[in-house]
Amino acid sequence: MVDAKKGTLIVLEGLDGSGKATQAKLLAQHLKEAGKNVQEITFPDYASDSSALVKMYLAGQFGDKPDDVNAYAASSFYAVDRYASYKTSWGSFYEAGGVIIADRYTTSNAVHQCSKLPPEQWESFLQWLFDYEFRLLGLPAPDEVIYQVIYLQVDPAVSQKLMTGRYHGDESKKDVHEKDVEYLARSRNAAEFCAAHLGWETVHCTQGDAMRSIEDIQSEVRKLAQRVI
Ligand SMILES: Nc1ncnc2c1ncn2[C@@H]1O[C@H](COP(=O)(O)OP(=O)(O)OP(=O)(O)O)[C@@H](O)[C@H]1O
Ligand SMILES: [Mg+2]
């Protein structure tokens, strides 16, 4: 039984540049127009001081490769940022029954940090991660809430192109994750594993070597969101 007092959490997950922000914004707008009580959240919370360690990590201050910071350390940076935003921004809204649309969540640690470990360690890492964020930190967890992860699946070559476009061709603007193509390929494998094993709903966002239209993807995202709203 879902606790009636608590809210609904819908997470848009996907690799870098897969359209999470674009789809989250459209979904939130649509639900607001339908009269729902909706708050959008996004991780990392760059507007908050709580993302300081994430920023240092992504800027390469602990090493210029993602693997220079191990999966557990890097996950901690993102987890405490999430804890801070839960306490200061969206926790009470959510507890009062609001609908949260999240652009990334704990699921991003699953995707981007699993990829630093050999596949035989993924399950134990995921167990640690969910126990840490959902039980020990007390963030909303899949077994307590209406919680849905929509995985935006994009071919890595297509997302690299989209990101290069966003930075107007300036490769140096990419962060330590974005510029490491080999790491992104590993993250892609981790994302596929997570989607298959953690019950994430997959939306296939590429067709051939191009993205499907934003509207087409959004209509699938809305249908999936509708199931829990
Ligand atoms: N379906 C689409 N077709 C073409 N371009 C798209 C599509 N969806 C998003 N884009 C563009 O791709 C870029 C990345 O999109 P967006 O910022 O929504 O992705 P993201 O997953 O939030 O990225 P990041 O992981 O870097 O935060 C943006 O320039 C966006 O306008
Ligand atoms: Mg984004």
Side-chain angles (χ1 to χ4, degrees), residues 20-21 103 166:
K20 299 177 293 295
D103 167 2
R166 180 171 57 187

Side-chain angles (χ1 to χ4, degrees), residues 68-81:
D68 290 336
V69 179
N70 79 55
Y72 294 87
S75 295
S76 304
F77 303 160
Y78 289 95
V80 294
D81 176 47

Side-chain angles (χ1 to χ4, degrees), residues 31-209:
L31 293 173
K32 280 179 198 162
E33 282 165 14
K36 305 285 179 199
N37 233 351
V38 178
Q39 184 175 346
E40 285 171 73
I41 57 175
T42 174
F43 297 106
D45 186 4
Y46 288 122
S48 164
D49 293 341
S50 62
S51 64
L53 284 156
V54 170
K55 286 180 189 158
M56 292 173 76
Y57 163 63
L58 289 176
Q61 290 189 45
F62 305 125
D64 59 10
K65 290 211 164 320
D67 295 292
D68 290 336
V69 179
N70 79 55
Y72 294 87
S75 295
S76 304
F77 303 160
Y78 289 95
V80 294
D81 176 47
R82 219 168 342 270
Y83 181 80
S85 90
Y86 178 73
K87 293 299 267 189
T88 61
S89 156
W90 56 279
S92 48
F93 176 85
Y94 163 79
E95 298 291 336
V99 177
I100 303 286
I101 306 296
D103 167 2
R104 297 182 180 276
Y105 198 59
T106 309
T107 48
S108 278
N109 271 344
V111 169
H112 288 277
Q113 305 304 327
C114 254
S115 56
K116 295 178 178 177
L117 299 165
E120 62 272 18
Q121 289 179 31
W122 288 358
E123 274 194 51
S124 62
F125 170 76
L126 292 171
Q127 268 173 21
W128 169 82
L129 174 68
F130 297 142
D131 187 61
Y132 176 48
E133 293 209 21
F134 299 144
R135 188 175 66 84
L136 297 171
L137 296 187
L139 295 167
D143 56 354
E144 284 173 9
V145 298
I146 302 172
Y147 173 100
Q148 186 182 47
V149 181
I150 301 174
Y151 167 49
L152 303 174
Q153 187 200 56
V154 174
D155 188 78
V158 176
S159 74
Q160 276 290 314
K161 254 196 318 206
L162 284 175
M163 279 185 292
T164 302
R166 180 171 57 187
Y167 297 131
H168 306 291
D170 184 351
E171 296 284 329
S172 71
K173 290 216 172 103
K174 292 181 176 175
D175 68 32
V176 298
H177 283 177
E178 291 168 347
K179 62 184 155 207
D180 193 329
V181 176
E182 193 266 333
Y183 166 78
L184 283 179
R186 277 188 274 142
S187 296
R188 157 81 177 203
N189 290 342
E192 297 290 317
F193 174 88
C194 289
H197 289 86
L198 302 172
W200 299 356
E201 301 289 348
T202 300
V203 176
H204 298 275
C205 299
T206 34
Q207 207 158 41
D209 60 359

Side-chain angles (χ1 to χ4, degrees), residues 16-22 104 162 166 178 211-212 214 217:
D16 292 336
S18 54
K20 299 177 293 295
T22 305
R104 297 182 180 276
L162 284 175
R166 180 171 57 187
E178 291 168 347
M211 288 292 279
R212 291 169 57 204
I214 289 171
I217 297 167

